[in-house]
Amino acid sequence: AQSVSQHNHHVILSEAASLELGCNYSYGGTVNLFWYVQYPGQHLQLLLKYFSGDPLVKGIKGFEAEFIKSKFSFNLRKPSVQWSDTAEYFCALRNQAGTALIFGKGTTLSVSS
Amino acid sequence: DTGVSQDPRHKITKRGQNVTFRCDPISEHNRLYWYRQTLGQGPEFLTYFQNEAQLEKSRLLSDRFSAERPKGSFSTLEIQRTEQGDSAMYLCASSTGTEHLYGYTFGSGTRLTVV
């Protein structure tokens, strides 16, 4: 069965620190992967996605993610976080049929100024 | 267009009552999805519509749950005989089939509390 796991439940960083959030998926076929962010009180917003091509994907707000097929990973990175990055981050895998997203449990990021 | 709209934002109901939620997707989006999100969990897929056809249902969608999208535009999700375990955020999302370009657009959700 397809699944997504996010290793870090809660990450606490100071402003300007670098960020890496882990995401591993379970599926042996062609994968479509997403990172969504949910700011407090707001809806889920797309940060970036990977469908094919360059495994290093750049998204909005300075975020990027690297698809490493051999590790079944799609980790999210940002070189320097800001207080406004405080949010919950979800990694998601599009299911085999292409009809739904399978989400990880999410990682809460708290950035102190 | 202002995105995916969901109504109501919050609903408190007594156990055993029926509730209905509405989702208005982005107008040109022919695909519509319902998800449920409980505390500390990521969203879990419930059901998928393409136009008015309900093409996929999760095992999470018990017999007490029913979803419709009668004219291929807005959708409703009804829960009959609510239970405390139904308390969750119910999310709606829509897309055009070009997810490789635009991903999926989510609404702000309806938070259901069953007391």
Side-chain angles (χ1 to χ4, degrees):
Chain A
Q2 294 175 283
S3 65
V4 174
S5 59
Q6 293 182 241
H7 320 299
N8 314 102
H9 180 64
H10 193 180
V11 173
I12 302 171
L13 294 173
S14 299
E15 274 194 316
S18 64
L19 169 72
E20 181 161 4
L21 301 182
C23 172
N24 284 92
Y25 64 91
S26 172
Y27 181 55
T30 301
V31 294
N32 304 140
L33 292 157
F34 302 77
W35 274 98
Y36 276 85
V37 61
Q38 189 168 28
Y39 298 104
Q42 296 189 26
H43 62 278
L44 285 161
Q45 298 175 39
L46 179 66
L47 272 180
L48 48 79
K49 58 194 178 317
Y50 172 79
F51 273 65
S52 63
D54 189 343
L56 186 61
V57 180
K58 295 194 183 299
I60 61 171
K61 306 188 181 189
F63 286 92
E64 66 178 30
E66 186 174 12
F67 170 61
I68 303 179
K69 188 175 181 179
S70 61
K71 294 185 178 180
F72 298 90
S73 70
F74 190 56
N75 292 354
L76 182 70
R77 300 195 292 246
K78 186 171 184 179
S80 176
V81 295
Q82 301 173 316
W83 177 81
S84 57
D85 293 324
T86 295
E88 192 155 15
Y89 293 80
F90 293 95
C91 181
L93 169 70
R94 194 172 181 219
N95 71 350
Q96 186 175 1
T99 56
L101 291 176
I102 300 163
F103 284 86
K105 291 187 176 182
T107 297
T108 301
L109 173 64
S110 299
V111 180
S112 58
S113 56
Chain B
D1 190 284
T2 56
V4 177
S5 299
Q6 292 190 246
D7 185 68
R9 292 293 302 271
H10 303 274
K11 178 71 176 179
I12 300 174
T13 190
K14 292 183 178 179
R15 189 175 52 189
Q17 297 294 304
N18 298 345
V19 294
T20 300
F21 311 139
R22 177 181 170 120
C23 170
D24 287 89
I26 293 174
S27 57
E28 62 267 28
H29 286 191
N30 62 335
R31 301 181 179 194
L32 187 145
Y33 315 78
W34 284 98
Y35 289 81
R36 181 178 71 184
Q37 185 176 17
T38 53
L39 201 60
Q41 302 293 321
E44 297 172 292
F45 170 73
L46 292 178
T47 191
Y48 161 65
F49 289 86
Q50 186 164 320
N51 300 309
E52 66 275 8
Q54 187 175 21
L55 298 183
E56 187 161 337
K57 293 193 288 187
S58 160
R59 291 173 300 168
L60 293 175
L61 212 66
S62 75
D63 291 345
R64 296 185 298 105
F65 288 69
S66 63
E68 294 182 341
R69 194 181 183 198
K71 296 183 180 179
S73 56
F74 72 92
S75 175
T76 58
L77 178 67
E78 181 184 16
I79 309 175
Q80 296 182 327
R81 306 181 303 281
T82 52
E83 302 173 355
Q84 286 189 322
D86 297 331
S87 294
M89 178 74 85
Y90 290 85
L91 299 172
C92 178
S94 67
S95 68
T96 60
T98 54
E99 291 82 14
H100 60 291
L101 294 175
Y102 305 113
Y104 303 79
T105 305
F106 282 81
S108 296
T110 293
R111 182 169 297 283
L112 173 66
T113 302
V114 181
V115 297

